[in-house]
Coordinates of all heavy atoms in Angstrom, one line a residue:
M1275 N 14.0 0.9 16.9 CA 12.8 0.1 17.4 C 11.5 0.8 17.1 O 11.5 2.0 17.4 CB 13.0 -0.3 18.9 CG 11.8 -1.1 19.4 SD 12.0 -1.4 21.2 CE 12.6 -3.1 21.1
D1276 N 10.5 0.2 16.7 CA 9.2 0.8 16.4 C 8.5 1.1 17.8 O 8.7 0.4 18.7 CB 8.3 -0.2 15.7 CG 8.7 -0.4 14.2 OD1 9.6 0.4 13.8 OD2 8.3 -1.3 13.6
S1277 N 7.8 2.2 17.8 CA 7.1 2.6 19.0 C 5.7 1.8 19.0 O 5.3 1.3 17.9 CB 6.7 4.1 18.9 OG 5.8 4.4 17.9
P1278 N 5.0 1.7 20.1 CA 3.8 0.9 20.1 C 2.8 1.5 19.1 O 2.1 0.8 18.5 CB 3.3 1.1 21.6 CG 4.6 1.3 22.4 CD 5.5 2.1 21.4
S1279 N 2.8 2.8 19.0 CA 1.8 3.4 18.0 C 2.1 3.0 16.6 O 1.3 2.8 15.8 CB 1.8 5.0 18.2 OG 3.0 5.5 17.9
E1280 N 3.5 2.9 16.3 CA 3.8 2.4 14.9 C 3.4 1.0 14.7 O 2.9 0.6 13.6 CB 5.3 2.5 14.7 CG 5.8 4.0 14.5 CD 7.3 4.1 14.5 OE1 8.0 3.4 15.2 OE2 7.8 5.0 13.8
H1281 N 3.4 0.1 15.8 CA 2.9 -1.2 15.6 C 1.4 -1.2 15.4 O 0.9 -2.0 14.5 CB 3.2 -2.0 16.9 CG 4.7 -2.6 16.9 ND1 5.1 -3.4 16.0 CD2 5.6 -2.4 17.8 CE1 6.4 -3.7 16.2 NE2 6.8 -3.1 17.3
G1282 N 0.7 -0.4 16.1 CA -0.7 -0.3 15.9 C -1.1 0.1 14.5 O -2.0 -0.4 13.9
W1283 N -0.3 1.0 14.0 CA -0.5 1.5 12.6 C -0.3 0.4 11.6 O -1.1 0.1 10.8 CB 0.4 2.7 12.3 CG 0.5 3.2 10.9 CD1 1.5 3.0 10.0 CD2 -0.5 4.0 10.2 NE1 1.2 3.5 8.8 CE2 -0.1 4.2 8.9 CE3 -1.7 4.4 10.6 CZ2 -0.8 4.9 8.0 CZ3 -2.5 5.2 9.7 CH2 -2.0 5.4 8.4
E1284 N 0.8 -0.3 11.8 CA 1.1 -1.5 10.8 C 0.1 -2.5 10.9 O -0.3 -3.2 9.9 CB 2.5 -2.0 11.1 CG 3.6 -1.1 10.9 CD 4.6 -1.6 9.7 OE1 4.7 -2.7 9.6 OE2 5.1 -0.7 9.1
D1285 N -0.5 -2.7 12.1 CA -1.5 -3.8 12.3 C -2.8 -3.5 11.5 O -3.6 -4.3 11.3 CB -1.8 -4.0 13.8 CG -0.7 -4.7 14.5 OD1 0.2 -5.2 13.8 OD2 -0.7 -4.6 15.8
L1286 N -3.0 -2.2 11.2 CA -4.2 -1.9 10.4 C -4.2 -2.6 9.0 O -5.3 -2.9 8.5 CB -4.2 -0.4 10.1 CG -4.6 0.6 11.3 CD1 -4.5 2.0 10.8 CD2 -6.0 0.3 11.8
C1287 N -3.1 -2.8 8.4 CA -3.0 -3.3 7.1 C -3.7 -4.7 7.0 O -3.5 -5.6 7.9 CB -1.5 -3.5 6.6 SG -1.4 -4.2 5.0
R1288 N -4.6 -4.9 6.0 CA -5.3 -6.2 5.9 C -4.5 -7.2 5.1 O -5.0 -8.3 4.8 CB -6.6 -5.9 5.2 CG -7.5 -5.0 5.9 CD -8.9 -4.8 5.2 NE -8.7 -4.2 3.9 CZ -9.0 -4.8 2.7 NH1 -9.4 -6.0 2.7 NH2 -8.8 -4.1 1.6
R1289 N -3.3 -6.8 4.6 CA -2.5 -7.7 3.8 C -3.2 -8.2 2.5 O -3.0 -9.3 2.1 CB -2.0 -8.9 4.6 CG -1.4 -8.6 6.0 CD 0.0 -7.9 5.9 NE 0.6 -7.9 7.1 CZ 0.6 -6.8 8.0 NH1 0.0 -5.7 7.6 NH2 1.3 -6.8 9.1
C1290 N -4.0 -7.3 2.0 CA -4.7 -7.6 0.7 C -3.8 -7.6 -0.5 O -4.1 -8.2 -1.5 CB -5.9 -6.7 0.5 SG -5.5 -5.0 0.3
G1291 N -2.7 -6.8 -0.4 CA -1.8 -6.6 -1.5 C -2.2 -5.8 -2.6 O -1.5 -5.7 -3.6
E1292 N -3.4 -5.2 -2.5 CA -3.9 -4.4 -3.7 C -3.1 -3.2 -4.0 O -3.1 -2.8 -5.2 CB -5.3 -4.0 -3.4 CG -6.3 -5.2 -3.4 CD -7.7 -4.8 -3.2 OE1 -8.1 -3.6 -3.5 OE2 -8.5 -5.6 -2.7
C1293 N -2.3 -2.7 -3.0 CA -1.5 -1.6 -3.4 C -0.2 -2.0 -4.1 O 0.5 -1.1 -4.6 CB -1.1 -0.8 -2.1 SG -0.3 -1.9 -0.8
C1294 N 0.0 -3.3 -4.2 CA 1.3 -3.8 -4.8 C 1.1 -4.2 -6.3 O 1.9 -5.0 -6.8 CB 1.8 -4.9 -4.0 SG 2.0 -4.5 -2.2
F1295 N 0.1 -3.7 -6.9 CA -0.1 -3.9 -8.3 C 0.2 -2.7 -9.1 O -0.1 -1.5 -8.6 CB -1.5 -4.4 -8.7 CG -1.7 -5.9 -8.2 CD1 -1.9 -6.2 -6.9 CD2 -1.8 -6.9 -9.2 CE1 -2.1 -7.5 -6.5 CE2 -2.0 -8.2 -8.9 CZ -2.1 -8.5 -7.5
E1296 N 0.7 -2.8 -10.3 CA 1.0 -1.6 -11.2 C -0.3 -0.9 -11.4 O -1.3 -1.5 -11.5 CB 1.6 -2.1 -12.5 CG 3.0 -2.9 -12.4 CD 4.1 -2.0 -12.0 OE1 4.0 -0.7 -12.2 OE2 5.1 -2.5 -11.5
K1297 N -0.1 0.4 -11.6 CA -1.3 1.2 -11.9 C -0.9 2.1 -13.1 O 0.3 2.3 -13.4 CB -1.6 2.2 -10.7 CG -2.0 1.4 -9.5 CD -1.4 2.0 -8.3 CE -1.6 1.1 -7.1 NZ -0.5 0.2 -6.9
W1298 N -1.9 2.6 -13.8 CA -1.7 3.5 -14.9 C -2.6 4.8 -14.8 O -3.7 4.6 -14.2 CB -1.8 2.9 -16.3 CG -3.2 2.4 -16.6 CD1 -3.7 1.2 -16.3 CD2 -4.1 3.1 -17.5 NE1 -5.0 1.1 -16.8 CE2 -5.3 2.3 -17.5 CE3 -4.1 4.3 -18.2 CZ2 -6.4 2.6 -18.3 CZ3 -5.3 4.7 -18.9 CH2 -6.4 3.8 -18.9
V1299 N -2.2 5.9 -15.3 CA -2.9 7.1 -15.2 C -3.4 7.5 -16.5 O -2.7 7.6 -17.5 CB -2.0 8.2 -14.6 CG1 -2.8 9.5 -14.5 CG2 -1.3 7.8 -13.3
D1300 N -4.8 7.7 -16.6 CA -5.3 8.1 -17.9 C -5.2 9.5 -18.2 O -4.6 10.3 -17.4 CB -6.8 7.5 -18.0 CG -7.7 8.3 -17.1 OD1 -7.4 9.4 -16.7 OD2 -8.8 7.8 -16.8
D1301 N -5.7 10.0 -19.4 CA -5.5 11.4 -19.8 C -6.2 12.4 -18.8 O -5.9 13.5 -18.9 CB -6.1 11.6 -21.2 CG -5.3 10.8 -22.2 OD1 -4.1 10.5 -21.9 OD2 -5.8 10.6 -23.4
H1302 N -7.1 11.9 -18.0 CA -7.8 12.8 -17.1 C -7.2 12.7 -15.7 O -7.7 13.4 -14.8 CB -9.3 12.3 -17.0 CG -10.0 12.3 -18.3 ND1 -10.4 13.4 -18.9 CD2 -10.4 11.3 -19.0 CE1 -11.0 13.1 -20.1 NE2 -11.0 11.8 -20.2
G1303 N -6.1 12.0 -15.6 CA -5.4 11.9 -14.3 C -6.0 10.9 -13.4 O -5.6 10.8 -12.2
D1304 N -6.9 10.1 -13.9 CA -7.5 9.0 -13.0 C -6.6 7.8 -13.0 O -6.0 7.5 -14.0 CB -8.9 8.6 -13.6 CG -9.9 9.7 -13.5 OD1 -9.8 10.5 -12.4 OD2 -10.8 9.9 -14.4
I1305 N -6.5 7.2 -11.8 CA -5.6 6.1 -11.6 C -6.3 4.8 -11.7 O -7.4 4.6 -11.1 CB -4.9 6.2 -10.2 CG1 -4.1 7.6 -10.2 CG2 -4.0 5.0 -10.0 CD1 -3.6 7.9 -8.9
H1306 N -5.7 3.8 -12.5 CA -6.4 2.6 -12.7 C -5.4 1.4 -12.3 O -4.3 1.4 -12.8 CB -6.8 2.4 -14.2 CG -7.7 3.5 -14.7 ND1 -9.1 3.5 -14.5 CD2 -7.4 4.7 -15.3 CE1 -9.6 4.6 -15.0 NE2 -8.6 5.3 -15.5
P1307 N -5.9 0.5 -11.5 CA -5.0 -0.6 -11.2 C -4.9 -1.6 -12.4 O -5.8 -1.6 -13.2 CB -5.7 -1.3 -10.0 CG -7.2 -0.9 -10.2 CD -7.2 0.4 -10.9
T1308 N -3.9 -2.3 -12.5 CA -3.7 -3.4 -13.5 C -3.6 -4.7 -12.7 O -3.6 -4.8 -11.5 CB -2.4 -3.2 -14.3 OG1 -1.3 -3.6 -13.5 CG2 -2.3 -1.8 -14.8
A1309 N -3.5 -5.8 -13.5 CA -3.4 -7.2 -12.9 C -1.9 -7.5 -12.8 O -1.5 -8.7 -12.6 CB -4.1 -8.2 -13.7
I1310 N -1.0 -6.6 -13.0 CA 0.4 -6.8 -12.9 C 1.0 -6.6 -11.5 O 1.0 -5.4 -11.1 CB 1.2 -6.0 -14.0 CG1 0.6 -6.2 -15.4 CG2 2.7 -6.2 -13.9 CD1 1.1 -5.1 -16.4
P1311 N 1.4 -7.6 -10.8 CA 1.9 -7.4 -9.4 C 3.3 -6.9 -9.5 O 4.1 -7.2 -10.4 CB 1.8 -8.8 -8.8 CG 2.0 -9.7 -9.9 CD 1.4 -9.0 -11.2
C1312 N 3.7 -6.3 -8.4 CA 5.1 -6.1 -8.1 C 5.8 -7.4 -8.1 O 5.3 -8.4 -7.7 CB 5.3 -5.4 -6.8 SG 7.0 -5.3 -6.2
R1313 N 7.1 -7.4 -8.7 CA 7.8 -8.8 -8.7 C 8.1 -9.3 -7.4 O 8.4 -10.5 -7.3 CB 9.0 -8.6 -9.5 CG 10.1 -7.7 -8.9 CD 11.2 -7.5 -9.9 NE 12.1 -6.4 -9.4 CZ 13.4 -6.5 -9.3 NH1 14.0 -7.6 -9.6 NH2 14.1 -5.5 -8.8
F1314 N 8.0 -8.5 -6.3 CA 8.2 -9.1 -5.0 C 7.0 -9.4 -4.2 O 7.0 -9.8 -3.0 CB 9.0 -8.0 -4.2 CG 10.4 -7.8 -4.7 CD1 10.8 -6.6 -5.2 CD2 11.3 -8.8 -4.8 CE1 12.1 -6.4 -5.8 CE2 12.6 -8.6 -5.3 CZ 13.0 -7.4 -5.8
L1315 N 5.8 -9.3 -4.8 CA 4.6 -9.7 -4.2 C 4.3 -11.2 -4.4 O 4.3 -11.7 -5.5 CB 3.4 -8.9 -4.7 CG 2.0 -9.2 -4.1 CD1 2.0 -8.8 -2.6 CD2 0.9 -8.6 -4.9
D1316 N 4.1 -11.9 -3.3 CA 3.7 -13.3 -3.4 C 2.2 -13.3 -3.6 O 1.4 -12.8 -2.8 CB 4.0 -14.0 -2.0 CG 3.6 -15.5 -2.1 OD1 2.5 -15.8 -2.7 OD2 4.3 -16.3 -1.5
I1317 N 1.8 -13.7 -4.8 CA 0.4 -13.5 -5.2 C -0.5 -14.5 -4.6 O -1.7 -14.3 -4.6 CB 0.2 -13.5 -6.8 CG1 0.7 -14.8 -7.3 CG2 0.9 -12.3 -7.4 CD1 0.3 -15.0 -8.8
I1318 N 0.0 -15.5 -3.9 CA -0.8 -16.4 -3.2 C -1.1 -15.9 -1.8 O -2.2 -15.8 -1.4 CB -0.1 -17.8 -3.0 CG1 0.2 -18.4 -4.5 CG2 -1.0 -18.8 -2.3 CD1 -1.0 -18.6 -5.3
T1319 N 0.0 -15.6 -1.0 CA -0.2 -15.1 0.3 C -0.5 -13.6 0.4 O -1.0 -13.1 1.4 CB 1.0 -15.3 1.2 OG1 2.1 -14.5 0.7 CG2 1.4 -16.8 1.2
R1320 N -0.3 -12.9 -0.7 CA -0.4 -11.4 -0.8 C 0.5 -10.7 0.1 O 0.3 -9.6 0.5 CB -1.9 -11.0 -0.6 CG -2.8 -11.5 -1.6 CD -2.5 -10.9 -2.9 NE -3.4 -11.3 -4.0 CZ -4.3 -10.4 -4.6 NH1 -4.4 -9.2 -4.3 NH2 -5.1 -10.8 -5.6
E1321 N 1.6 -11.3 0.4 CA 2.7 -10.6 1.2 C 3.9 -10.3 0.4 O 4.2 -11.0 -0.5 CB 3.0 -11.5 2.4 CG 1.9 -11.7 3.4 CD 2.3 -12.4 4.7 OE1 3.4 -13.0 4.7 OE2 1.5 -12.4 5.6
C1322 N 4.6 -9.2 0.9 CA 5.8 -8.8 0.2 C 6.9 -9.8 0.6 O 7.1 -10.1 1.8 CB 6.1 -7.4 0.6 SG 7.7 -6.8 0.0
K1323 N 7.6 -10.3 -0.4 CA 8.7 -11.2 -0.2 C 9.9 -10.5 0.4 O 10.8 -11.2 0.9 CB 9.1 -11.9 -1.5 CG 8.0 -12.7 -2.1 CD 8.5 -13.3 -3.5 CE 7.4 -13.9 -4.2 NZ 7.8 -14.2 -5.6
V1324 N 10.0 -9.2 0.3 CA 11.2 -8.5 0.8 C 10.8 -7.4 1.7 O 11.4 -6.3 1.7 CB 12.0 -8.0 -0.4 CG1 12.6 -9.1 -1.2 CG2 11.2 -7.1 -1.3
Y1325 N 9.8 -7.6 2.5 CA 9.1 -6.5 3.3 C 10.1 -5.7 4.1 O 10.1 -4.4 4.0 CB 8.1 -7.1 4.2 CG 7.3 -6.0 4.9 CD1 6.3 -5.3 4.3 CD2 7.6 -5.6 6.2 CE1 5.6 -4.3 4.9 CE2 6.9 -4.6 6.9 CZ 5.9 -3.9 6.2 OH 5.2 -2.9 6.8
H1326 N 11.1 -6.3 4.7 CA 11.9 -5.6 5.6 C 13.0 -4.8 4.8 O 13.6 -3.9 5.4 CB 12.6 -6.5 6.6 CG 11.6 -7.0 7.6 ND1 10.9 -6.2 8.5 CD2 11.1 -8.3 7.7 CE1 10.1 -6.9 9.2 NE2 10.1 -8.2 8.8
K1327 N 13.2 -5.0 3.6 CA 14.1 -4.2 2.8 C 13.4 -3.6 1.5 O 14.0 -3.3 0.5 CB 15.3 -5.0 2.4 CG 15.1 -6.2 1.6 CD 16.4 -6.9 1.3 CE 16.2 -8.2 0.4 NZ 17.4 -8.8 0.0
R1328 N 12.0 -3.5 1.6 CA 11.2 -3.1 0.4 C 11.6 -1.7 -0.1 O 11.4 -1.4 -1.3 CB 9.7 -3.2 0.7 CG 9.3 -2.2 1.8 CD 7.9 -2.5 2.3 NE 7.3 -1.5 3.2 CZ 7.7 -1.3 4.5 NH1 8.7 -2.0 5.0 NH2 7.2 -0.4 5.2
L1329 N 12.1 -0.9 0.8 CA 12.4 0.5 0.4 C 13.8 0.6 -0.3 O 14.1 1.6 -0.8 CB 12.3 1.4 1.6 CG 11.0 1.4 2.4 CD1 11.1 2.3 3.6 CD2 9.8 1.7 1.5
E1330 N 14.5 -0.5 -0.3 CA 15.9 -0.5 -0.8 C 16.0 -1.3 -2.1 O 17.1 -1.4 -2.6 CB 16.8 -1.1 0.2 CG 16.7 -0.4 1.6 CD 17.2 -1.3 2.7 OE1 17.9 -2.3 2.5 OE2 16.8 -1.0 3.9
V1331 N 15.0 -2.0 -2.6 CA 15.1 -2.9 -3.7 C 14.8 -2.3 -5.1 O 14.8 -2.9 -6.1 CB 14.3 -4.2 -3.6 CG1 14.8 -4.9 -2.4 CG2 12.8 -3.8 -3.4
G1332 N 14.5 -1.0 -5.1 CA 14.4 -0.3 -6.4 C 13.1 -0.4 -7.1 O 13.0 -0.1 -8.3
E1333 N 12.1 -0.7 -6.4 CA 10.7 -0.9 -7.0 C 9.9 0.4 -6.7 O 8.7 0.4 -7.1 CB 10.0 -2.1 -6.5 CG 10.6 -3.4 -7.1 CD 10.5 -3.4 -8.7 OE1 9.4 -3.1 -9.2 OE2 11.5 -3.7 -9.3
G1334 N 10.4 1.4 -6.1 CA 9.6 2.6 -5.8 C 8.6 2.4 -4.7 O 7.7 3.2 -4.6
C1335 N 8.8 1.4 -3.8 CA 7.9 1.3 -2.7 C 7.9 2.4 -1.8 O 9.0 3.0 -1.6 CB 8.2 0.0 -2.0 SG 7.0 -0.5 -0.8
V1336 N 6.8 2.8 -1.3 CA 6.7 4.0 -0.4 C 6.2 3.5 0.9 O 5.2 2.7 1.1 CB 5.6 5.0 -1.0 CG1 5.4 6.1 -0.1 CG2 6.1 5.5 -2.4
K1337 N 6.9 4.0 2.0 CA 6.5 3.7 3.4 C 5.2 4.5 3.6 O 5.1 5.7 3.5 CB 7.5 4.1 4.4 CG 7.2 3.7 5.8 CD 8.4 4.0 6.7 CE 8.1 3.9 8.1 NZ 7.9 2.5 8.6
L1338 N 4.2 3.7 4.0 CA 2.8 4.4 4.2 C 2.7 4.9 5.7 O 2.3 4.2 6.6 CB 1.7 3.4 3.9 CG 1.6 3.0 2.5 CD1 0.5 1.9 2.3 CD2 1.3 4.2 1.6
T1339 N 3.0 6.2 5.8 CA 2.8 6.9 7.0 C 1.4 7.6 7.0 O 0.9 7.7 5.8 CB 3.9 7.9 7.3 OG1 3.8 8.9 6.2 CG2 5.3 7.3 7.3
P1340 N 0.9 8.1 8.1 CA -0.4 8.9 8.0 C -0.2 10.0 7.0 O -1.2 10.4 6.3 CB -0.6 9.3 9.4 CG 0.0 8.2 10.2 CD 1.2 7.8 9.4
Q1341 N 0.9 10.7 7.0 CA 1.1 11.9 6.2 C 1.1 11.5 4.7 O 0.6 12.2 3.9 CB 2.5 12.5 6.5 CG 2.5 13.1 7.9 CD 2.7 12.1 9.1 OE1 3.2 11.0 8.8 NE2 2.4 12.5 10.3
V1342 N 1.7 10.3 4.4 CA 1.7 9.9 3.0 C 0.3 9.5 2.6 O -0.2 9.8 1.5 CB 2.7 8.7 2.8 CG1 2.5 8.0 1.5 CG2 4.2 9.2 3.0
V1343 N -0.4 8.7 3.4 CA -1.7 8.3 3.1 C -2.7 9.4 2.8 O -3.5 9.4 2.0 CB -2.3 7.3 4.2 CG1 -3.7 6.9 3.9 CG2 -1.4 6.0 4.2
E1344 N -2.4 10.5 3.6 CA -3.2 11.7 3.4 C -3.2 12.3 2.0 O -4.2 12.8 1.5 CB -2.7 12.8 4.4 CG -3.5 14.1 4.4 CD -4.8 14.0 5.1 OE1 -4.9 13.3 6.1 OE2 -5.7 14.7 4.7
V1345 N -2.1 12.2 1.3 CA -1.9 12.8 0.0 C -1.9 11.9 -1.2 O -2.2 12.4 -2.3 CB -0.7 13.7 0.0 CG1 -0.8 14.8 1.1 CG2 0.6 12.9 0.2
V1346 N -1.6 10.6 -1.1 CA -1.5 9.8 -2.3 C -2.9 9.5 -2.8 O -3.8 9.4 -2.0 CB -0.7 8.5 -2.0 CG1 0.8 8.8 -1.7 CG2 -1.4 7.6 -1.0
Q1347 N -3.0 9.3 -4.1 CA -4.2 9.1 -4.8 C -4.4 7.6 -5.2 O -5.5 7.2 -5.7 CB -4.3 9.9 -6.1 CG -4.0 11.4 -5.8 CD -5.2 12.1 -5.2 OE1 -6.3 11.9 -5.5 NE2 -4.9 12.9 -4.2
W1348 N -3.4 6.8 -5.0 CA -3.4 5.5 -5.6 C -3.8 4.3 -4.7 O -3.8 3.2 -5.1 CB -2.0 5.2 -6.3 CG -0.8 5.6 -5.4 CD1 -0.1 6.8 -5.6 CD2 -0.2 4.9 -4.4 NE1 0.9 6.8 -4.7 CE2 0.9 5.7 -3.9 CE3 -0.5 3.7 -3.8 CZ2 1.7 5.2 -2.9 CZ3 0.3 3.2 -2.7 CH2 1.4 4.0 -2.3
L1349 N -4.0 4.6 -3.4 CA -4.4 3.5 -2.6 C -5.9 3.1 -2.9 O -6.7 4.0 -3.2 CB -4.3 3.9 -1.1 CG -2.9 3.9 -0.5 CD1 -2.9 4.5 0.9 CD2 -2.3 2.5 -0.5
P1350 N -6.2 1.8 -2.9 CA -7.6 1.5 -3.2 C -8.6 2.0 -2.1 O -8.2 2.2 -1.0 CB -7.6 -0.1 -3.2 CG -6.4 -0.5 -2.4 CD -5.4 0.6 -2.6
E1351 N -9.8 2.2 -2.5 CA -10.8 2.8 -1.6 C -11.0 2.0 -0.4 O -11.3 2.5 0.7 CB -12.2 2.9 -2.3 CG -12.2 4.1 -3.3 CD -13.6 4.3 -3.9 OE1 -14.5 3.7 -3.3 OE2 -13.6 5.0 -4.9
N1352 N -10.8 0.7 -0.5 CA -11.0 -0.2 0.7 C -9.7 -0.4 1.5 O -9.7 -1.2 2.4 CB -11.7 -1.5 0.3 CG -10.8 -2.3 -0.6 OD1 -9.7 -1.8 -1.1 ND2 -11.2 -3.6 -0.9
C1353 N -8.7 0.3 1.2 CA -7.4 0.2 2.0 C -7.7 0.6 3.4 O -8.3 1.7 3.6 CB -6.3 1.0 1.3 SG -4.9 1.1 2.4
A1354 N -7.2 -0.2 4.3 CA -7.5 0.1 5.8 C -6.8 1.4 6.2 O -7.4 2.2 7.0 CB -7.0 -1.0 6.6
Y1355 N -5.6 1.7 5.6 CA -5.0 3.0 6.0 C -5.8 4.2 5.4 O -6.0 5.2 6.1 CB -3.6 3.0 5.4 CG -2.6 2.1 6.0 CD1 -1.9 1.2 5.3 CD2 -2.4 2.1 7.4 CE1 -1.0 0.3 5.9 CE2 -1.5 1.2 8.0 CZ -0.8 0.3 7.2 OH 0.1 -0.5 7.8
R1356 N -6.2 4.0 4.2 CA -6.9 5.1 3.5 C -8.3 5.4 4.3 O -8.6 6.5 4.6 CB -7.3 4.8 2.1 CG -8.1 5.8 1.4 CD -8.1 5.5 -0.1 NE -9.2 6.3 -0.7 CZ -9.3 6.4 -2.0 NH1 -8.5 5.8 -2.9 NH2 -10.3 7.2 -2.5
R1357 N -8.9 4.3 4.7 CA -10.2 4.4 5.4 C -9.9 5.1 6.8 O -10.8 5.9 7.3 CB -10.8 3.1 5.6 CG -11.3 2.5 4.3 CD -11.8 1.1 4.4 NE -13.0 0.9 5.2 CZ -14.2 1.0 4.7 NH1 -14.4 1.3 3.4 NH2 -15.2 0.9 5.5
R1358 N -8.8 4.7 7.5 CA -8.5 5.3 8.8 C -8.2 6.8 8.6 O -8.8 7.7 9.3 CB -7.3 4.6 9.4 CG -6.8 5.3 10.7 CD -7.8 5.4 11.8 NE -8.2 4.1 12.3 CZ -7.5 3.4 13.3 NH1 -6.5 3.9 13.8 NH2 -8.0 2.2 13.6
V1359 N -7.4 7.2 7.7 CA -6.9 8.6 7.5 C -8.1 9.5 7.0 O -8.2 10.6 7.5 CB -5.7 8.6 6.6 CG1 -5.4 10.1 6.2 CG2 -4.5 8.0 7.4
H1360 N -8.9 8.9 6.1 CA -9.9 9.7 5.5 C -11.3 9.6 6.2 O -12.3 10.0 5.7 CB -10.0 9.5 4.0 CG -8.8 9.9 3.3 ND1 -8.5 11.3 3.0 CD2 -7.7 9.2 2.8 CE1 -7.4 11.4 2.4 NE2 -6.9 10.1 2.2
G1361 N -11.2 8.9 7.3 CA -12.4 8.8 8.1 C -13.6 8.0 7.7 O -14.7 8.2 8.0
S1362 N -13.3 7.0 6.8 CA -14.4 6.2 6.3 C -14.3 4.8 6.9 O -14.8 3.8 6.3 CB -14.3 6.1 4.8 OG -13.1 5.7 4.3
D1363 N -13.7 4.7 8.1 CA -13.7 3.4 8.8 C -15.1 2.9 9.2 O -16.0 3.7 9.6 CB -13.0 3.6 10.2 CG -11.7 2.8 10.2 OD1 -11.5 1.9 9.4 OD2 -10.8 3.1 11.1
G1364 N -15.3 1.7 9.0 CA -16.6 1.1 9.4 C -17.8 1.4 8.5 O -17.7 2.0 7.5
Ligands
SF4_2229 S1 -4.1 -1.8 0.0 FE1 -3.9 -1.0 2.2 S2 -4.7 -2.7 3.4 FE2 -4.2 -3.6 1.4 S3 -2.1 -4.4 1.6 FE3 -2.0 -2.3 0.7 S4 -1.7 -1.0 2.6 FE4 -2.5 -3.0 3.3

């Protein structure tokens, strides 16, 4: 069962779905989003169609914990988790 703090963390997500699009890395190591969504993203609602088993379906989905958000480079600048962890809220 999730703890209350885990619920609070999950509630931060704006369900924008921007993290669920393919990205590519250029020769300089910069990450660029594409218009290609994960096959499990509902592009109308922007919700994952397999959210509760997203880590098991083989698409490389990563559970976004504070520790993960601290180090990954591919979350969009306006991601609520990124803004919380990197102190750019508000
Ligand atoms: S980019 Fe951030 S706020 Fe948007 S859906 Fe992904 S985790 Fe949630």
Side-chain angles (χ1 to χ4, degrees):
M1275 176 182 260
D1276 291 345
S1277 71
S1279 62
E1280 285 172 328
H1281 280 300
W1283 172 255
E1284 294 244 330
D1285 288 345
L1286 287 176
C1287 179
R1288 298 182 298 112
R1289 311 290 191 261
C1290 66
E1292 290 182 27
C1293 56
C1294 302
F1295 285 75
E1296 300 288 340
K1297 296 138 191 91
W1298 65 278
V1299 182
D1300 68 22
D1301 293 342
H1302 303 289
D1304 294 325
I1305 299 169
H1306 303 274
T1308 73
I1310 304 169
C1312 171
R1313 63 188 170 128
F1314 294 116
L1315 179 68
D1316 182 322
I1317 60 170
I1318 303 300
T1319 66
R1320 294 296 181 115
E1321 292 186 348
C1322 178
K1323 297 176 190 171
V1324 294
Y1325 186 78
H1326 293 293
K1327 58 179 182 180
R1328 68 195 186 285
L1329 305 178
E1330 303 156 21
V1331 295
E1333 287 298 314
C1335 190
V1336 175
K1337 183 175 173 67
L1338 292 176
T1339 64
Q1341 294 76 20
V1342 168
V1343 174
E1344 180 78 34
V1345 296
V1346 297
Q1347 305 288 315
W1348 42 262
L1349 285 171
E1351 285 185 14
N1352 61 354
C1353 170
Y1355 291 126
R1356 179 170 166 169
R1357 292 171 65 89
R1358 170 62 63 89
V1359 167
H1360 293 286
S1362 54
D1363 245 344

